[in-house]
Amino acid sequence: LSGNNRELGRGLGSFVDAEECRIAIKELQSDMGGMLSRVRPVPPNAWTWELRRGGVPIAASGHAFDRLIRCERGLAHFVERLGVAPIAETVMASDARRWMRGAR
């Protein structure tokens, strides 16, 4: 998450439990140099990014971007923040949303 709790990206794996997930995050952090990034268009007019290891997608943007430059910046921000992200011992679940249903 970013400083204002917006999603920067998400892992694409499934995990049996929280510990397996934490291990996968630590492995991702240590193997950032071995990742290849890919930015691609998403119809009709958006962009998304993903990180791949050995041709397998490992992480991806949490949402599509309206501009290529914003997508590239989102990828760079994710990579930068992932390298220093703390990994908590507990899992936090939240159903909070930025906008309440029906609010404008």
Side-chain angles (χ1 to χ4, degrees):
L1 298 176
S2 67
N4 62 357
N5 287 330
R6 291 187 184 198
E7 182 178 10
L8 295 176
R10 61 179 63 181
L12 299 177
S14 296
F15 306 100
V16 174
D17 57 24
E19 183 58 25
E20 186 178 71
C21 181
R22 278 190 289 278
I23 291 168
I25 294 169
K26 289 176 185 178
E27 289 173 352
L28 180 60
Q29 286 177 318
S30 66
D31 193 29
M32 287 305 296
M35 298 285 175
L36 294 176
S37 61
R38 176 180 175 206
V39 174
R40 63 183 176 85
V42 178
N45 297 309
W47 295 87
T48 190
W49 61 261
E50 65 184 21
L51 291 175
R52 295 173 156 258
R53 181 187 317 144
V56 177
I58 302 297
S61 57
H63 60 85
F65 294 85
D66 64 340
R67 302 273 190 269
L68 173 59
I69 188 71
R70 290 183 183 155
C71 185
E72 292 170 337
R73 287 179 185 159
L75 170 59
H77 195 129
F78 176 82
V79 168
E80 173 190 320
R81 299 302 304 158
L82 178 64
V84 298
I87 303 170
E89 292 299 319
T90 59
V91 175
M92 181 187 79
S94 173
D95 61 358
R97 298 286 182 247
R98 183 169 175 82
W99 303 107
M100 294 178 61
R101 191 178 300 255
R104 294 181 190 238

